[in-house]
């Protein structure tokens, strides 16, 4: 509200202040990534070693008029099917992610609800353990095939020996 002196009444006049709408969306930044509470440098091609259980992403958006009223939405491409409303929370948490390629996307709105739809993103790859790779499955399939072939040959050999012993008895 505005307060002004009124020359007619000799007092104060109180009235509504003009409403200012901020049309500028806030710039968004992913500040930090932590895996099992250890910071990961956000440089280059992010290759996360296998074994991480807890993934945290910290973001911020710059809005001078009302920084505490900035709202966030985030989405982990490759995991989330739709946007997650984070409210005013500046952290996204994920646990037990399977190996693969991911992209964290964060968008934010200022106190007037103007969204920065471009937002920020962070690409990373969670590497698998050896036993989660196609090579491992291929080696297991090859070993299973060799074992099956060995068992088949052993069975055929035993049948031939049994037939030979049966012919000797007759």
């Amino acid at each position: 509200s505005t307060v002004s002196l009124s020359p007619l009444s000799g007092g104060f006049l109180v009235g509504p202040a003009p409403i200012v709408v901020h049309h500028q969306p806030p710039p968004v930044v992913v500040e930090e990534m932590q895996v099992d509470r250890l910071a990961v440098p956000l440089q280059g091609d992010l290759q996360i070693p296998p074994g991480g259980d807890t993934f945290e992403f910290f973001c911020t958006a710059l809005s001078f008029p009302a920084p505490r009223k900035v709202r966030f939405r985030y989405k982990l491409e490759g995991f989330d099917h739709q946007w997650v409303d984070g409210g005013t929370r500046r952290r996204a948490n994920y646990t037990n992610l399977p190996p693969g390629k991911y992209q964290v996307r964060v968008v934010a709105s200022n106190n007037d609800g103007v969204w920065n739809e471009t937002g920020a993103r962070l690409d990373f790859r969670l590497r698998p353990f050896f036993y989660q790779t196609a090579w491992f499955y291929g080696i297991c399939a090859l070993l299973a095939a060799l074992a099956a072939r060995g068992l088949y040959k052993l069975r055929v050999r035993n049948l031939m020996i049994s037939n030979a012993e049966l012919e000797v008895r007759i």
Side-chain angles (χ1 to χ4, degrees):
S1 63
T2 60
V3 177
S4 63
L5 291 175
S6 171
L8 298 176
S9 66
F12 292 101
L13 176 67
V14 177
I19 296 175
V20 178
V21 176
H22 299 97
H23 296 287
Q24 182 68 31
V28 184
V29 176
V30 177
E31 292 182 304
E32 185 179 7
M33 175 182 181
Q34 291 183 3
V35 177
D36 293 336
R37 299 191 185 261
L38 297 173
V40 175
L42 302 181
Q43 305 165 350
D45 185 25
L46 283 181
Q47 300 280 328
I48 308 300
D53 290 326
T54 305
F55 299 82
E56 294 178 285
F57 304 93
F58 298 87
C59 57
T60 191
L62 188 61
S63 179
F64 289 117
R68 294 182 192 266
K69 292 184 179 180
V70 173
R71 297 188 55 82
F72 295 91
R73 287 191 304 216
Y74 55 88
K75 184 176 185 180
L76 183 59
E77 297 282 349
F79 187 77
D80 289 329
H81 298 289
Q82 54 191 342
W83 288 94
V84 176
D85 183 9
T88 58
R89 200 175 66 230
R90 297 170 184 260
R91 181 174 70 189
N93 299 322
Y94 290 91
T95 57
N96 301 321
L97 294 176
K101 291 183 179 181
Y102 296 98
Q103 181 182 79
V104 177
R105 294 183 56 207
V106 181
V107 295
S109 73
N110 64 16
N111 60 312
D112 290 318
V114 178
W115 285 90
N116 178 342
E117 294 295 339
T118 305
R121 70 178 210 186
L122 175 67
D123 297 319
F124 69 97
R125 179 175 175 259
L126 179 57
R127 293 193 322 249
F129 284 106
F130 176 70
Y131 59 84
Q132 296 173 317
T133 64
W135 284 100
F136 180 78
Y137 293 125
I139 290 169
C140 287
L142 178 64
L143 290 174
L146 289 174
R149 182 173 182 239
L151 289 173
Y152 174 75
K153 283 189 163 195
L154 183 63
R155 178 70 177 145
V156 168
R157 184 172 162 250
N158 285 341
L159 285 174
M160 291 177 74
I161 291 173
S162 295
N163 282 343
E165 287 176 358
L166 187 60
E167 285 179 5
V168 170
R169 289 186 190 168
I170 296 182

